[in-house]
Amino acid sequence: MTEQLTELATEAYVVGFPLVFDLEQVARFTEAGIGSVASTPYNSFGHARELAGPGDTFVSINNDTVYSIAQVDLGVGPVKLTVPATGDRYFVLQFVDAWTDNFAYIGTRSTGGGGGEFLLLPPDADEGADDAAGLPTVRFPTRVATIVGRWAVDGADDLPAVHALQDALTLTPLHETLVPPEGVPAVDGGQGEALDFFEKLRVWSQAFPPAPRDRAALDSYAPLGLVSPYPIAEQPEGVRQALVDGYALGKEALESALRTSGTLIDHWMVNLHVFDYNLDYFEVGAIDSPEWKLTDPRTRYATRAGAALGGLWGNHAYEAAYIMTYEDADGEPLSGEHVYRLRLSPTPPVGAFWSLTMYDLPHYYLVANPIDRYSVGDRTRGLVYDDDGGLTITMSATRPTDEKAAANWLPAPAGRFRPILRLYLPGDEVLDGHYRIPAIERIG
């Protein structure tokens, strides 16, 4: 029986990880902020005014855009979202529910650059109950959800224009109330890492119910006390021990799976469908089509958990594709002990722009370096292109002595690292697999 409970707890960890990890970040954002975005109350946007750097300790944060992030709590009723006109500047507002489903997109690809107003509706809102002059609506799957806004920035001189757009992005509740948003329910801790995790899962899964198709999975964890009204601390010792053991096994399995997820093509992990686990909620801009749905129940939960751990609040590939690698052309781990070369010819086909960003391991944070360069891409000034229009990028912990290599240098940490190639509005050649990225070669 103990072995069966441990196996069940291992599964519960994987299924529940995205909810717990996401809501920890939601609470962190409202209480302490994330990176350069200061703490911001619910139903307000917080803004990063500079591009991210190594001080922004968030998983796989990008260095291409500045963020505008809001934690929205529709327990106060419908909220009006006002979006400024952006013209031809790339931007996206990505909507992520408590279970990390990407359920809506407003931005360049989906709604264009003309701006407008949208009505955000809570899960239980009646259609037409709130008259907001016929505004297009976005219904939330969970009471609390995150809006992650990204604005393309073309260098420091472009920041004032972006700041003006950020300031014009607003959220306005339709109904006045003196009662503050409930937010993420507080959870008593102090039982240790594993039991605290499962207590959060117990409380938060009841406050933020999953999609109906996922209800059965949660109900199956009843023997662990995860659907109980009573705290985990009151469960029998055997149950609590199974939770501790299952937590350790689940965490180890998830971290291991993250390194091997996707299809390895030329030593790059190509998984254009890592965020395709949403099968139920499709509002404006979210594509409801079979090719963007991961329906296999055997892999869907693990994929969702890995996506949260490796790239929380990442976009669907039709908005931005993420391709990463841990190894060189010989299959050896990438490390700042060596010098590497990546030649992109042709450079990636995109509708917006592309970048290659450096991250350390095991945290997946940006890497501090003497030239304050954290990514290289088609908007990086001063690059030297090859005669055929391709681009050769050098990755190393120390600055190259060759002039061209130094111009195209992407600094690496002294230890192991993982670069990510981001393609914003990737071209059809990327999505259908015809565009391939060559392996990174070790040259020193």
Side-chain angles (χ1 to χ4, degrees), residues 255-303:
E255 291 175 351
S256 175
L258 183 62
R259 294 177 179 271
T260 57
S261 62
T263 302
L264 203 62
I265 301 177
D266 296 326
H267 300 276
W268 289 86
M269 288 184 181
V270 181
N271 190 345
L272 301 179
H273 302 284
V274 68
F275 295 103
D276 291 2
Y277 43 80
N278 172 26
L279 306 178
D280 300 279
Y281 305 111
F282 298 92
E283 298 295 310
V284 58
I287 296 179
D288 184 0
S289 183
E291 64 267 29
W292 298 108
K293 293 181 180 180
L294 178 63
T295 57
D296 187 346
R298 297 171 299 177
T299 59
R300 177 170 165 261
Y301 292 135
T303 298

Side-chain angles (χ1 to χ4, degrees), residues 56-403:
D56 298 288
T57 52
F58 190 81
V59 174
S60 302
I61 196 169
N62 86 54
N63 181 244
D64 306 305
T65 66
V66 292
Y67 286 88
S68 293
I69 301 176
Q71 308 302 342
V72 182
D73 186 345
L74 295 184
V76 302
V79 171
K80 183 174 69 173
L81 167 67
T82 301
V83 180
T86 58
D88 58 2
R89 179 189 303 275
Y90 173 80
F91 86 105
V92 62
L93 301 178
Q94 170 199 5
F95 292 68
V96 190
D97 74 6
W99 288 88
T100 70
D101 290 322
N102 294 330
F103 65 93
Y105 291 93
I106 293 171
T108 301
R109 174 189 60 83
S110 56
T111 57
E117 295 181 330
F118 302 82
L119 188 64
L120 312 183
L121 297 175
D124 57 354
D126 294 330
E127 291 290 346
D130 289 281
D131 183 4
L135 295 181
T137 61
V138 178
R139 182 178 294 273
F140 280 35
T142 51
R143 171 175 57 82
V144 168
T146 304
I147 302 177
V148 185
R150 299 171 176 89
W151 312 86
V153 180
D154 189 16
D157 293 344
D158 192 33
L159 282 169
V162 175
H163 294 168
L165 294 173
Q166 290 177 309
D167 293 339
L169 181 69
T170 61
L171 292 164
T172 308
L174 287 193
H175 308 307
E176 293 186 9
T177 176
L178 298 177
V179 180
E182 178 185 352
V184 177
V187 177
D188 292 334
Q191 300 183 73
E193 183 178 314
L195 295 184
D196 285 353
F197 171 89
F198 283 113
E199 179 64 3
K200 290 175 181 177
L201 177 56
R202 183 190 71 83
V203 173
W204 292 345
S205 63
Q206 294 177 41
F208 305 101
R213 75 175 65 243
D214 297 326
R215 184 73 255 174
L218 276 182
D219 289 344
S220 73
Y221 307 137
L224 300 169
L226 296 182
V227 296
S228 170
Y230 304 107
I232 294 296
E234 298 181 12
Q235 292 297 318
E237 174 60 28
V239 169
R240 287 186 284 124
Q241 186 59 52
L243 289 171
V244 171
D245 295 341
Y247 176 88
L249 291 170
K251 185 176 183 180
E252 180 182 2
L254 178 56
E255 291 175 351
S256 175
L258 183 62
R259 294 177 179 271
T260 57
S261 62
T263 302
L264 203 62
I265 301 177
D266 296 326
H267 300 276
W268 289 86
M269 288 184 181
V270 181
N271 190 345
L272 301 179
H273 302 284
V274 68
F275 295 103
D276 291 2
Y277 43 80
N278 172 26
L279 306 178
D280 300 279
Y281 305 111
F282 298 92
E283 298 295 310
V284 58
I287 296 179
D288 184 0
S289 183
E291 64 267 29
W292 298 108
K293 293 181 180 180
L294 178 63
T295 57
D296 187 346
R298 297 171 299 177
T299 59
R300 177 170 165 261
Y301 292 135
T303 298
R304 183 175 67 177
L309 177 61
L312 185 67
W313 302 344
N315 287 293
H316 276 91
Y318 52 73
E319 186 70 41
Y322 309 92
I323 303 173
M324 63 196 71
T325 184
Y326 293 87
E327 61 186 46
D328 63 19
D330 296 319
E332 295 296 321
L334 296 169
S335 171
E337 299 174 306
H338 307 295
V339 179
Y340 301 92
R341 176 176 60 205
L342 171 64
R343 186 166 190 273
L344 299 173
S345 181
T347 55
V350 290
F353 57 93
W354 67 268
S355 70
L356 182 72
T357 307
M358 178 66 68
Y359 297 95
D360 69 3
L361 290 175
H363 303 295
Y364 307 103
Y365 294 161
L366 297 174
V367 176
N369 64 83
I371 63 171
D372 292 329
R373 177 183 282 179
Y374 312 106
S375 64
V376 168
D378 57 4
R379 299 174 308 148
T380 303
R381 291 181 172 85
L383 297 181
V384 179
Y385 286 81
D386 301 331
D387 292 341
D388 65 355
L391 183 68
T392 300
I393 300 169
T394 299
M395 287 171 270
S396 60
T398 56
R399 186 186 182 102
T401 56
D402 176 79
E403 184 176 338

